[in-house]
Amino acid sequence: MNILVVDDSSYQCQLIIAMIEDSGFKAVCANGYKEALELLKENSVDLILMDIEMPDMNGFELTKIIRSTYPEWMPIIFLSANDSEVYLAKGIDAGGDDYLTKPVKQVVLAAKIRAMERISLMKSALDRVNKQLELLSCIDPLTQLLNRRGIDSMLNNLWKDNIEQKAELSLMMLDIDCFKLYNDNYGHQKGDDCLAQVSNIFNHALDQSNGVIGRYGGEEFIIALPCTPIASARFKAQEIINVLLAAKIEHQYSTVLPYVSVSIGISSTCTGAANIEALIKQADGALYQAKANKKNQYAVFNSIDTNT
């Protein structure tokens, strides 16, 4: 535990620090609110021991500022010679977590610090679990790719990064050809197996690039290619088409080929999309063009150029 002691009295500060260090913890002293706020900016603090009666700004006011400035919870224990119930209640209302009266006994202070340490560790563990749950909520369980929620978050971040970097962001919409016929004839379990296999192929095709892939819904996928010109996106699209065909996943009921194939629509920020939604719409329009042109090919937005 890294502990910050806030007290305008140098003597009291050194006394509390001696108790803390003797109990096996680290501590640093801040003489008043200005020094306390500076130390919080520059250091990682796990616990604050806050004196209440200080000039310029008392401990209650400083605690309110800390709580509004730092969203991450850190325990604050008030130290005061005033043992009235009113003061205790005021301290808790201000954002404090505990209250000790001076003179503080070392055994009590050490016990309070250990208690706050346990709470802090439990909170850290809970934060980790919540983070894992948040990540899982962005993953499609069938394909292990980003789901629609994860895609939306990823694309919004890439759009912002692209504006800052003044680079070109390319986008691909992919749709497995004649997938309804696959499901209708092979069954939905085989259809799920096919989606998982195709997803793995798409993912591996992006191994040597900075592309990010997600399942947009059903048999549709999105691939984002940050800092990638549209010419490179076209090359990657053709590579994906070829790799999927090379896998020779049987599809006897396809109207295109006896194997599973994919159609791809490509858009890029160079085509004037005002936002990420417009970029997706452009890629979707290009995908429609590729599907209309006998499938198993890519099409580029605002261009009749296709490749079979």
Side-chain angles (χ1 to χ4, degrees), residues 133-203:
L133 289 173
E134 184 181 348
L135 290 172
L136 287 173
S137 72
C138 293
I139 299 297
D140 175 56
L142 176 62
T143 63
Q144 295 302 300
L145 302 177
L146 290 174
N147 60 18
R148 183 64 177 270
R149 178 182 176 183
I151 289 170
D152 289 343
S153 177
M154 176 265 294
L155 290 178
N156 284 324
N157 288 334
L158 287 179
W159 182 266
K160 291 174 185 175
D161 291 343
N162 191 70
I163 292 172
E164 291 176 3
Q165 296 170 8
K166 298 180 180 177
E168 186 175 347
L169 171 65
S170 292
L171 195 70
M172 294 195 290
M173 287 281 291
L174 303 85
D175 186 85
I176 300 174
D177 298 326
C178 309
F179 191 71
K180 185 177 184 305
L181 291 173
Y182 191 101
N183 263 337
D184 290 347
N185 289 278
Y186 290 102
H188 286 282
Q189 182 57 56
K190 283 284 188 180
D192 285 351
D193 294 342
C194 177
L195 282 173
Q197 190 176 353
V198 169
S199 299
N200 192 46
I201 291 168
F202 290 165
N203 208 19

Side-chain angles (χ1 to χ4, degrees), residues 237-292:
Q238 188 58 57
E239 181 186 341
I240 288 170
I241 290 169
N242 294 341
V243 169
L244 182 58
L245 287 180
K248 292 187 176 181
I249 303 171
E250 182 182 304
H251 189 354
Q252 295 180 2
Y253 305 95
S254 171
T255 60
V256 185
L257 291 165
Y259 307 110
V260 172
S261 60
V262 66
S263 298
I264 303 174
I266 305 172
S267 63
S268 163
T269 48
C270 72
T271 57
N275 49 48
I276 195 65
E277 289 76 17
L279 193 66
I280 294 171
K281 189 174 181 180
Q282 289 178 358
D284 195 47
L287 174 62
Y288 180 82
Q289 180 185 338
K291 301 289 277 188

Side-chain angles (χ1 to χ4, degrees), residues 18-51:
M19 291 182 186
I20 292 169
E21 291 179 345
D22 195 49
S23 301
F25 301 99
K26 296 178 181 179
V28 63
C29 184
N31 189 350
Y33 82 96
K34 289 182 181 179
E35 194 172 336
L37 293 176
E38 284 299 319
L39 285 169
L40 283 170
K41 282 181 186 178
E42 299 168 3
N43 300 277
S44 174
V45 175
D46 301 308
L47 168 65
I48 300 176
L49 297 178
M50 179 80 71
D51 185 33

